[in-house]
């Protein structure tokens, strides 16, 4: 991937990753012009009222704009009555509702799928913002409709203090060293920890392509659940070689070291650890957005081979693979997928974001069975002809 990328303003992926990613911001004018017409402000308002959508309505009091309030979904029409002058509507995971938007992830091929979180959209009238803040996530802010003025400031961390008694984690001050107005299609990469403040210049939609990373606590939790389910580990350990006596109230450092070594040995010498992480990382962020599929079987599939359908990933699902002892192993939506070896290279293409013509090359019983299973689990979807 060493060619200049338009989305990175002509940087190569390698340059961006080594100089900017997780380090410093990058502004690219007209990076993603195709985003401008995907959603209109009214579409966002409508989406926010859908009971399954995760959304927040943030308001600033007219009399005291330093007084904030946040109403989380489900949002109802009444929440939008008697609005103050300054407000922002945030809607999460719009990529699960707009296939065109989901397709735009493909513009970021230099960051793997397991790091993706979701695409959030914000809608605000002139003056609206979510305040000065920082996030622990990497985010590409892309202007959709209208204009937003972005100010960037200092690097923050766990010790940074917030404004007291507010429902948002707001920064009391920002040392502004960047001040630019973004127009439709412009992109601003903001690394984790960097203070930022975006204020709508007019009726404005801004998309946040957010990237997630697990924390140690959630990985520990998942790994320990995984081991706790293993029957073979439920037998008591053999006692430590007991050639010394100690106070009967004491567990000696030696005994603790023995117990710890047994756990670490288990972690190190089984693939369960990696499998637990694959299950965690392949979990969908909003499983409720995964559509209920129409049950399909191999005969139904055979009947539509070569009729123009395309096979691709369902945007709300997550499919990942890893190479273990030269074998591709797949996880989807938190579960390991058992598939035929012949299907593995095909599924790899799909996990890598590709789509495939649903044609004779897939006409093998084992392959069609695996495809039917993954369609019935809504991991994959079939795009009808002319509806890409
Ligand atoms: C916004 O779009 O207003 C907020 C996005 C962010 O600051 O992360
Ligand atoms: Co932010």
């Amino acid at each position: 991937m060493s060619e200049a990328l338009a989305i990175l303003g002509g940087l190569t992926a390698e340059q961006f990753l080594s100089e900017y990613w997780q380090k410093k911001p990058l502004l690219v004018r007209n990076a993603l012009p195709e985003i401008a017409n995907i959603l209109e402000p009214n579409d966002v308002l409508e989406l926010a009222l859908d009971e399954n959508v995760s959304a927040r309505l943030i308001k600033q009091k007219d009399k005291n704009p330093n007084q904030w309030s946040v109403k989380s979904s489900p949002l109802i029409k009444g929440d939008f009555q008697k609005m103050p002058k300054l407000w922002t509507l945030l809607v999460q995971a719009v990529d699960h509702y707009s296939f065109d938007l989901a397709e735009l992830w493909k513009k970021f091929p230099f960051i793997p799928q397991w790091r993706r979180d979701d695409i959030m959209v914000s809608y605000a009238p002139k003056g609206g913002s979510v305040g000065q803040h920082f996030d622990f996530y990497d985010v590409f802010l892309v202007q959709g409709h209208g204009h937003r003025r972005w100010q960037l400031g200092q690097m923050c961390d766990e010790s940074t203090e917030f404004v007291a008694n507010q429902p948002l984690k707001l920064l009391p001050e920002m040392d502004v060293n960047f001040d630019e107005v973004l127009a439709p299609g412009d992109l601003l990469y903001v690394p984790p920890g960097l203070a930022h403040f975006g204020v709508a210049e007019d009726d404005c939609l801004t998309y946040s392509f957010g990237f997630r990373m697990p924390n140690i606590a959630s990985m520990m939790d998942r790994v320990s659940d995984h081991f706790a389910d293993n029957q073979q580990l439920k037998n008591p350990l053999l006692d430590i070689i007991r050639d010394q006596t100690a106070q009967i109230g004491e567990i000696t450092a030696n005994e603790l070291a023995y117990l710890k070594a047994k756990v670490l040995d288990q972690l190190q010498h089984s693939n369960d650890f990696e499998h637990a992480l694959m299950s965690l990382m392949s979990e969908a962020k909003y499983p409720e957005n995964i559509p209920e599929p129409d049950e399909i079987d191999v005969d139904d599939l055979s009947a539509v081979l070569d009729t123009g359908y395309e096979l691709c990933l369902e945007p709300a699902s997550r499919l990942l693979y890893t190479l273990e002892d030269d074998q591709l192993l797949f996880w989807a939506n938190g579960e390991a997928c058992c598939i035929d070896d012949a299907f593995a290279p095909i599924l790899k293409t799909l996990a890598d974001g590709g789509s495939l013509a649903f044609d004779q090359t897939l006409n093998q019983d084992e392959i069609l069975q695996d495809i039917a299973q993954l369609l019935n689990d809504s991991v994959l979807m079939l795009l009808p002809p002319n509806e890409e």
Side-chain angles (χ1 to χ4, degrees):
M1 237 185 270
S2 52
E3 76 275 22
L5 296 177
I7 194 160
L8 296 175
L11 295 176
T12 64
E14 289 76 12
Q15 279 170 325
F16 173 74
L17 293 175
S18 68
E19 288 169 41
Y20 294 87
W21 184 245
Q22 302 232 301
K23 296 184 193 77
K24 61 182 188 189
L26 175 70
L27 170 66
V28 182
R29 296 284 178 196
N30 207 28
L32 214 57
E34 56 271 62
I35 205 168
N37 300 315
I38 294 186
L39 294 179
E40 299 285 331
N42 268 339
D43 301 325
V44 178
L45 282 173
E46 223 169 87
L47 255 181
L49 294 174
D50 183 323
E51 58 182 358
N52 299 315
V53 160
S54 175
R56 281 165 293 163
L57 181 58
I58 296 171
K59 297 179 185 171
Q60 290 172 263
K61 277 214 160 51
D62 282 337
K63 282 197 184 134
N64 177 9
N66 293 325
Q67 190 62 50
W68 299 74
S69 69
V70 180
K71 169 81 175 41
S72 296
S73 51
L75 297 176
I76 54 168
K77 279 196 171 152
D79 294 318
F80 293 86
Q81 271 150 20
K82 293 205 204 112
M83 292 289 270
K85 194 167 146 272
L86 302 179
W87 56 272
T88 290
L89 173 63
L90 302 174
V91 180
Q92 295 294 149
V94 268
D95 47 332
H96 300 170
Y97 294 90
S98 160
F99 197 72
D100 289 341
L101 208 51
E103 283 288 285
L104 293 183
W105 279 117
K106 293 188 177 154
K107 300 281 177 178
F108 301 88
F110 43 89
I111 308 294
Q113 199 214 139
W114 71 269
R115 293 282 275 103
R116 288 182 199 165
D117 198 21
D118 68 342
I119 305 177
M120 180 186 82
V121 69
S122 69
Y123 172 32
K126 183 175 167 58
S129 84
V130 300
Q132 304 177 345
H133 69 282
F134 75 96
D135 303 303
F136 284 103
Y137 292 111
D138 300 270
V139 66
F140 290 93
L141 299 162
V142 186
Q143 192 57 28
H145 177 98
H147 300 79
R148 187 181 286 271
R149 176 180 176 187
W150 283 103
Q151 294 182 316
L152 303 179
Q154 70 279 19
M155 272 295 180
C156 306
D157 58 26
E158 291 79 2
S159 65
T160 302
E161 294 197 359
F162 301 114
V163 177
N165 305 321
Q166 292 302 320
L168 295 168
K169 289 184 170 160
L170 300 171
L171 297 170
E173 61 222 6
M174 243 176 74
D175 305 329
V176 177
N177 52 37
F178 171 105
D179 193 340
E180 298 280 346
V181 174
L182 269 67
D186 292 350
L187 167 150
L188 177 62
Y189 165 69
V190 178
L194 189 71
H196 54 284
F197 182 35
V199 181
E201 293 269 298
D202 43 29
D203 244 24
C204 152
L205 295 186
T206 304
Y207 296 89
S208 297
F209 289 71
F211 290 83
R212 68 179 182 181
M213 262 312 262
N215 58 45
I216 294 182
S218 65
M219 288 192 287
M220 292 268 212
D221 196 39
R222 178 56 59 99
V223 168
S224 71
D225 269 3
H226 210 79
F227 281 95
D229 285 345
N230 185 338
Q231 279 305 327
Q232 288 173 358
L233 301 181
K234 293 196 175 176
N235 294 330
L237 293 169
L238 286 178
D239 196 6
I240 188 170
I241 297 171
R242 199 158 286 292
D243 50 5
Q244 309 248 324
T245 57
Q247 296 299 327
I248 62 164
E250 183 185 7
I251 299 190
T252 64
N254 203 16
E255 286 169 319
L256 281 177
Y258 165 74
L259 297 176
K260 185 173 172 183
K262 284 290 182 192
V263 172
L264 294 181
D265 185 59
Q266 190 61 41
L267 288 176
Q268 238 164 7
H269 296 110
S270 96
N271 290 326
D272 281 3
F273 191 95
E274 286 78 2
H275 296 180
L277 293 187
M278 288 301 290
S279 132
L280 177 69
M281 298 318 303
S282 68
E283 255 172 17
K285 186 175 181 197
Y286 295 103
E288 63 279 13
N289 288 355
I290 300 174
E292 250 338 287
D294 295 328
E295 282 287 313
I296 199 162
D297 63 23
V298 169
D299 291 340
D300 302 324
L301 285 179
S302 302
V304 295
L305 278 168
D306 287 325
T307 57
Y309 278 84
E310 279 206 22
L311 197 58
C312 65
L313 259 187
E314 154 57 46
S317 285
R318 211 169 278 247
L319 173 67
L320 299 173
Y321 61 86
T322 194
L323 202 56
E324 190 178 289
D325 303 328
D326 290 333
Q327 206 195 347
L328 282 172
L329 300 181
F330 292 84
W331 271 258
N333 299 332
E335 305 282 338
C337 304
C338 269
I339 55 148
D340 194 86
D341 286 347
F343 186 49
I346 300 167
L347 195 57
K348 175 182 178 300
T349 305
L350 295 167
D352 285 335
S355 54
L356 284 175
F358 195 65
D359 62 16
Q360 284 304 324
T361 56
L362 303 172
N363 198 3
Q364 251 185 64
D365 214 43
E366 304 75 46
I367 292 181
L368 290 181
Q369 267 170 23
D370 285 338
I371 293 175
Q373 180 65 52
L374 292 170
L375 289 170
N376 289 332
D377 291 340
S378 271
V379 173
L380 300 181
M381 62 186 276
L382 268 180
L383 278 185
N386 306 324
E387 248 192 59
E388 294 178 63

